[in-house]
Amino acid sequence: MTFRSETSAIPSIVLNDGNVIPQLGFGVFLVPDDEVFPVVTAALEAGYRSIDTAAIYGNEAGTGRAIRESGLPRDEVYVTSKVWNSEQGFDSTLRAFDASMARLGLDYLDLYLVHWPVPAADRYVDTFRALQALKTQGRVRSIGVSNFTAEHLSRVIAETGEIPAVNQIELHPRLAQRELREFHAGHAIATEAWGPLGQGTLLDDRTIASIAAAVDRTPAQVIIRWHLQLGNIVIPKSVTPSRIAENLDVFGFELSRDQVAAINALDTGTRVGDDPNTFSQGLDV
Ligand code: NAD
């Protein structure tokens, strides 16, 4: 197995805490633990240096093993995980973190996120306080949130005095999240796009297809390029080695201003995932 040690083609984003995250990473949602090892290995071989997992994905063990056995220095791979809804609260989040680290087999995380706000449970501020404690202890380099609205973010900032480094949100051409991205920009919160390809649903869109033909690239590459040009951190997922490589091969072309505008015009505010204001799976509310 060979791993390219030089991945300078992938730009970095500087977070509000001074740490840097690769702008393009790799997500492992819905990849079973017993299948994730070759998938993450293929991603690292292709040149990805950022892996996004979560406790609820059930694949931290295989993901961690692939990272450890890659032979890459720990500080060359950026690792993100997330605390699941059922573990929200200060003490339970600290315990959930220990369990995640035991599964991953790593001694620190680059980024730990509150997976969903679950506003009806009203525990996300205490959960974020646990992330602050983990950061102070040096067990996590950066802390952030996921699926938070401007309202949830404002409350975390007001009550903890800390601005999350990242908000990982559903974001793709049909849900461009313009207002939330503007809120993030105003608070130096980095925007990370999950479901960046609309979980595959955008790949046969006619506008995307015609731009792909014009730039001689695939629809997936065009959408990932759109994210990069918007300034998003983006973590597409695939289990197919050729697509894993394809999704990383997006630094040799650029979309024109008109092409970006045409993709922006696809925004209908349509989600493929759950609504952050009401999603509460795992927590009795
Ligand atoms: P995605 O938009 O990355 O779409 C993935 C799907 O698109 C694949 O399963 C495959 O069917 C298709 N695909 C990918 N590359 C392709 C290519 N080159 N050609 C053709 N088809 C291709 O969706 P996602 O996996 O939901 O999101 C990416 C990552 O975001 C996840 O793996 C996970 O790490 C993260 N995520 C986070 C949350 C959250 O709540 N924070 C929720 C969902 C996903």
Side-chain angles (χ1 to χ4, degrees):
M1 236 171 280
T2 51
F3 295 90
R4 290 194 325 206
S5 61
E6 192 263 316
T7 51
S8 55
I10 304 175
S12 295
I13 299 275
V14 182
L15 302 176
N16 63 20
D17 58 12
N19 294 324
V20 284
I21 180 171
Q23 195 182 2
L24 177 55
F26 184 74
V28 294
F29 179 46
L30 295 180
V31 186
D33 199 39
D34 59 357
E35 294 172 24
V36 81
F37 180 85
V39 170
V40 171
T41 301
L44 295 172
E45 269 186 350
Y48 291 86
R49 290 295 180 269
S50 169
I51 308 292
D52 180 88
T53 184
I56 193 64
Y57 299 171
N59 58 20
E60 289 176 310
T63 297
R65 190 165 71 83
I67 293 166
R68 293 193 316 273
E69 294 186 10
S70 71
L72 289 164
R74 173 67 187 87
D75 64 2
E76 282 187 24
V77 186
Y78 193 97
V79 185
T80 301
S81 193
K82 316 181 190 89
V83 55
W84 183 237
N85 300 344
S86 55
E87 311 303 325
Q88 283 216 15
F90 189 88
D91 292 337
S92 43
T93 294
L94 297 180
R95 285 194 298 272
F97 176 79
D98 285 339
S100 278
M101 296 313 285
R103 286 188 293 266
L104 285 160
L106 302 175
D107 57 10
Y108 72 89
L109 265 190
D110 293 281
L111 179 63
Y112 199 38
L113 304 176
V114 182
H115 205 147
W116 288 86
V118 197
D122 199 17
R123 289 190 213 160
Y124 62 84
V125 175
D126 275 348
T127 305
F128 191 76
R129 286 200 176 100
L131 269 54
Q132 287 183 292
L134 292 166
K135 192 172 96 170
T136 302
Q137 292 165 20
R139 304 198 65 198
V140 177
R141 298 275 157 92
S142 295
I143 58 176
V145 297
S146 178
N147 299 300
F148 276 42
T149 65
E151 188 189 338
H152 307 139
L153 288 166
S154 298
R155 206 173 138 211
V156 165
I157 295 166
E159 295 190 25
T160 71
E162 180 152 354
I163 302 175
V166 168
N167 189 16
Q168 184 184 115
I169 52 172
E170 181 183 339
L171 202 177
H172 44 73
R174 291 202 188 113
L175 185 72
Q177 300 267 25
R178 175 184 284 271
E179 274 180 36
L180 191 48
R181 282 189 287 113
E182 279 168 11
F183 181 92
H184 291 166
H187 291 79
I189 299 168
T191 300
E192 183 168 35
W194 71 254
L197 306 172
Q199 298 187 328
T201 60
L202 272 151
L203 296 171
D204 56 6
D205 178 89
R206 279 166 49 190
T207 303
I208 303 283
S210 75
I211 295 172
V215 297
D216 197 20
R217 292 286 179 153
T218 68
Q221 289 173 323
V222 166
I223 298 170
I224 293 165
R225 189 69 221 174
W226 173 81
H227 283 284
L228 296 173
Q229 290 185 215
L230 248 50
N232 301 335
I233 301 161
V234 58
I235 47 169
K237 170 230 168 181
S238 173
V239 294
T240 310
S242 60
R243 290 175 173 173
I244 291 172
E246 172 188 325
N247 293 348
L248 188 64
D249 182 16
V250 289
F251 300 105
F253 75 107
E254 224 173 297
L255 301 174
S256 70
R257 190 187 290 245
D258 287 351
Q259 288 166 335
V260 170
I263 300 174
N264 289 344
L266 298 177
D267 187 10
T268 51
T270 314
R271 293 183 184 279
V272 294
D274 292 290
D275 182 342
N277 280 311
T278 53
F279 183 67
S280 64
Q281 189 185 319
L283 248 181
D284 287 332
V285 289

